[in-house]
Amino acid sequence: MSQNDIAALGPATIAADDPRYTSMVRGMNHRFTGRPDYVRVVSTTEQVRAAVGEAVAAGKRVSVRSGGHGFEDFTTSGVEVLLDLSEMDRVGYDPVRRAFVIEAGATLGHVYRVLFKGWGVTVPAGECPEVGVGGHFTGGGFGNLSRSLGLVVDYMEAVEVVVVDRDGTARTIVASRDPKDPHHDLWWAHTGGGGGNFGVVTRFWMRTPGTEELEPQRQLPRAPAQWRSGMAVWSWDGLSEDAFAALLGDFGAWFERNSAPGSPYEKVHGFLHASHRSGFGVTVGSMIDDSLPDAAKLMDAFFDEVSARVGAEPMFRTQQVKPWLYFSSYPGWGDPGGPDTRRIKIKAAYLRQGYSERQIGAVHRHLSAEGSEAAQLILIGYGGQVNTVAPEATATAQRDSVIKAAYLSVWSAEEQDGPNMTALREMYREVYAETGGVPAPGGGSDGSYVNYADADLADPGWNTSGVPWHTLYYKDNYPRLQRIKERYDPRNEFRHGLSIELPG
């Protein structure tokens, strides 16, 4: 039997009486379990188009899942038909479009492996190998190469989307970066507009913008051969409040100083991870392509400057070098929790500058509160080449920040949902108390990150700023996104708790 004789998977329809059903209705976040009429597993664009058309004709609400890493209930609440794209995972080179083609169900780890093994190239996407590209790319994904290369959407050449016309007809459109493309706006909407808003994305084409290279291995950035990573770890017992404030303050100040495009330090990726006091402590980490001149020295300088005023020695400070593929695609890397500890709440913010003394004090109070809490704070270096793109050039409007913040809780027991989410929400609200409990654009903040979806931003009980959730995510790009929504999803078939609204 030849490879061409093997039938494509699907479409497989899995209803509630099917023994496979319970395995199909819950994603990575165990807070949410759907009850759709059926799950449709698809493996081709035509199967997607037919499935969408069938659901719309039956008056059923349809949603889509690729990797299943949603932080809110967008693919479960009220959804009657769930399209599972996880078997659409092919990655290859398209000589007609002179670009790499990636299906929307592929995981990041799979993408990194195929691009590296086949051509030695990569894209500046996220560090969690199990995340599906369908949601990650459309929300403006970023990762540990973004300071030196930009966002993954900056490399998006075209996107294939199944949309629903006003008469209920499902059709497939390929929209490209080319401004002359009549569907150029649909391409733009998927460079940060978020998933589940306009249709079902089935494929992406990726290429370095403006390149005239003809050889595939030169049409995306070369992947590092070796990846240097380092970390310094302090226990909570060894950190006074003043020491914590110095560490958090100097971390922010370092990125304020060293995040301009072209800075010699833009190739240094850095992060800070602080657990609750009941956890292990505070980690500062750094990563860099080891082939760069003085990679080790650049990393040492980062650690020296960030920790200069701490006044307490870390438990350890190390650097190590590993092959790129081992780091970028190692299973489970970056995912929070474990197989049973997967109830998750996340909140986010873009930072134009490091935290103020008042904000650092608020973080310390909450992470030092009595008891055992699930709250964590993660600050991730940003800026560099990300900030060379105009805010209106893609749907990702935040193009002058230097740090992304993630406020995260992960736990296992359902009865802890209320206490853990309340504690996280209160920390976030206090950090942004001066702007109504949210990182309103302006000053040191620039809104929130749509891929770290947070329904609280639309809740007036937690957002008292008067700034709507869509401004926090999209800023001035929102009206254009609404016009695109009206053109390509006039019936509002694709919707969820924070979806783009039709005009008016």
Side-chain angles (χ1 to χ4, degrees), residues 76-95:
T76 56
S77 179
V79 172
E80 296 165 297
V81 177
L82 178 62
L83 300 185
D84 186 306
L85 267 63
S86 60
E87 302 307 321
M88 292 184 66
D89 62 354
R90 291 175 286 268
V91 179
Y93 183 73
D94 181 348

Side-chain angles (χ1 to χ4, degrees), residues 276-277 361-370 373 375 422-428 430-431:
H276 182 263
R277 181 174 288 277
V363 170
H364 187 269
R365 279 191 295 278
H366 284 272
L367 294 183
S368 299
E370 289 295 323
E373 295 186 8
T422 297
L424 190 72
R425 287 162 166 163
E426 289 178 345
M427 178 168 72
Y428 188 82
E430 187 173 346
V431 170

Side-chain angles (χ1 to χ4, degrees), residues 35 66 71 84 113 119 127 134 145 153 181 230 243 269 319 343 393 407 432 453 486 492 503:
R35 294 293 302 174
S66 54
F71 291 113
D84 186 306
R113 286 190 293 270
W119 299 272
E127 69 174 14
L145 287 172
V153 295
D181 184 341
H269 175 74
Q319 290 189 32
R343 303 183 74 83
Y407 303 75
Y432 299 105
E486 186 174 37
N492 201 25

Side-chain angles (χ1 to χ4, degrees), residues 106-127:
T107 61
L108 292 176
H110 181 61
V111 170
Y112 296 145
R113 286 190 293 270
V114 176
L115 291 181
F116 184 80
K117 291 177 182 179
W119 299 272
V121 298
T122 194
V123 289
E127 69 174 14

Side-chain angles (χ1 to χ4, degrees), residues 11-188:
T13 301
I14 301 173
D17 59 353
D18 191 304
R20 296 171 291 178
Y21 185 80
T22 55
S23 294
M24 301 298 299
V25 293
R26 186 171 68 176
M28 184 269 292
N29 191 348
H30 292 184
R31 285 175 54 212
F32 307 114
T33 300
R35 294 293 302 174
D37 294 349
Y38 59 87
V39 179
R40 180 68 56 82
V41 182
V42 290
S43 63
T44 68
T45 297
E46 177 53 29
Q47 290 177 12
V48 173
R49 190 205 60 75
V52 170
E54 176 187 325
V56 170
K60 294 182 180 293
R61 183 175 168 192
V62 63
S63 188
V64 61
R65 180 178 67 195
S66 54
H69 278 65
F71 291 113
E72 293 288 2
D73 63 353
F74 297 163
T75 63
T76 56
S77 179
V79 172
E80 296 165 297
V81 177
L82 178 62
L83 300 185
D84 186 306
L85 267 63
S86 60
E87 302 307 321
M88 292 184 66
D89 62 354
R90 291 175 286 268
V91 179
Y93 183 73
D94 181 348
V96 176
R97 288 191 175 273
R98 291 179 47 247
F100 290 89
V101 60
I102 301 172
E103 290 188 322
T107 61
L108 292 176
H110 181 61
V111 170
Y112 296 145
R113 286 190 293 270
V114 176
L115 291 181
F116 184 80
K117 291 177 182 179
W119 299 272
V121 298
T122 194
V123 289
E127 69 174 14
C128 300
E130 304 307 318
V131 167
V133 303
H136 181 73
F137 283 13
T138 55
F142 78 107
N144 47 50
L145 287 172
S146 287
R147 280 171 56 83
S148 58
L149 295 176
L151 299 180
V152 70
V153 295
D154 298 336
Y155 294 79
M156 190 187 297
E157 182 65 22
V159 59
E160 182 179 74
V161 193
V162 173
V163 301
V164 177
D165 292 340
R166 194 173 296 278
D167 64 0
T169 301
R171 63 185 176 119
T172 303
I173 295 173
V174 175
S176 75
R177 176 189 294 275
D178 183 355
K180 297 178 183 178
D181 184 341
H183 299 295
H184 174 74
D185 271 358
L186 188 62
W187 167 87
W188 181 89

Side-chain angles (χ1 to χ4, degrees), residues 163-248:
V163 301
V164 177
D165 292 340
R166 194 173 296 278
D167 64 0
T169 301
R171 63 185 176 119
T172 303
I173 295 173
V174 175
S176 75
R177 176 189 294 275
D178 183 355
K180 297 178 183 178
D181 184 341
H183 299 295
H184 174 74
D185 271 358
L186 188 62
W187 167 87
W188 181 89
H190 287 89
T191 61
N197 278 310
F198 308 95
V200 180
V201 174
T202 51
R203 290 190 287 179
F204 302 93
W205 285 265
M206 311 297 289
R207 185 173 70 221
T208 299
T211 183
E212 297 298 327
E213 297 286 352
L214 298 179
E215 298 177 356
Q217 58 267 34
R218 297 182 182 276
Q219 291 177 11
L220 279 177
R222 300 298 297 174
Q226 302 284 329
W227 190 244
R228 179 176 292 272
S229 61
M231 64 174 57
V233 180
W234 289 263
S235 71
W236 274 109
D237 291 339
L239 278 179
S240 66
E241 183 174 355
D242 287 345
F244 178 83
L247 184 59
L248 214 62

Side-chain angles (χ1 to χ4, degrees), residues 216-452:
Q217 58 267 34
R218 297 182 182 276
Q219 291 177 11
L220 279 177
R222 300 298 297 174
Q226 302 284 329
W227 190 244
R228 179 176 292 272
S229 61
M231 64 174 57
V233 180
W234 289 263
S235 71
W236 274 109
D237 291 339
L239 278 179
S240 66
E241 183 174 355
D242 287 345
F244 178 83
L247 184 59
L248 214 62
D250 286 353
F251 181 90
W254 191 92
F255 281 97
E256 288 182 46
R257 294 193 306 272
N258 296 293
S259 296
S263 162
Y265 286 99
E266 76 171 3
K267 299 184 185 304
V268 176
H269 175 74
F271 67 89
L272 183 149
H273 180 205
S275 73
H276 182 263
R277 181 174 288 277
S278 58
F280 64 88
V282 181
T283 299
V284 173
S286 181
M287 304 174 195
I288 192 171
D289 181 346
D290 195 53
S291 69
L292 295 171
D294 298 324
K297 290 181 180 179
L298 290 170
M299 185 175 286
D300 272 331
F302 167 76
F303 283 119
D304 289 344
E305 293 180 36
V306 167
S307 62
R309 295 191 302 122
V310 174
E313 288 297 315
M315 291 189 295
F316 60 86
R317 173 174 157 177
T318 64
Q319 290 189 32
Q320 59 182 341
V321 178
K322 294 185 181 298
W324 164 251
L325 201 59
Y326 177 91
F327 172 82
S328 63
S329 60
Y330 190 82
W333 171 253
D335 268 350
D340 298 313
T341 307
R342 280 290 176 91
R343 303 183 74 83
I344 301 169
K345 174 66 179 176
I346 196 168
K347 305 175 79 66
Y350 286 93
L351 278 63
R352 286 191 173 116
Q353 59 192 46
Y355 286 138
S356 67
E357 290 184 13
R358 186 201 64 77
Q359 289 177 310
I360 292 173
V363 170
H364 187 269
R365 279 191 295 278
H366 284 272
L367 294 183
S368 299
E370 289 295 323
S372 176
E373 295 186 8
Q376 307 169 42
L377 171 68
I378 308 172
L379 301 179
I380 308 162
Y382 205 61
Q385 290 301 307
V386 172
N387 293 349
T388 62
V389 177
E392 67 278 5
T394 65
T396 304
Q398 291 86 356
R399 293 289 187 164
D400 65 355
S401 297
V402 298
I403 293 172
K404 271 190 179 179
Y407 303 75
L408 177 69
S409 282
V410 187
W411 63 97
S412 58
E414 184 176 355
E415 58 267 25
Q416 290 298 310
D417 286 6
N420 285 332
M421 289 194 292
T422 297
L424 190 72
R425 287 162 166 163
E426 289 178 345
M427 178 168 72
Y428 188 82
R429 178 169 61 185
E430 187 173 346
V431 170
Y432 299 105
E434 295 170 334
T435 52
V438 298
S445 300
D446 203 24
S448 189
Y449 176 42
V450 70
N451 274 356
Y452 296 167

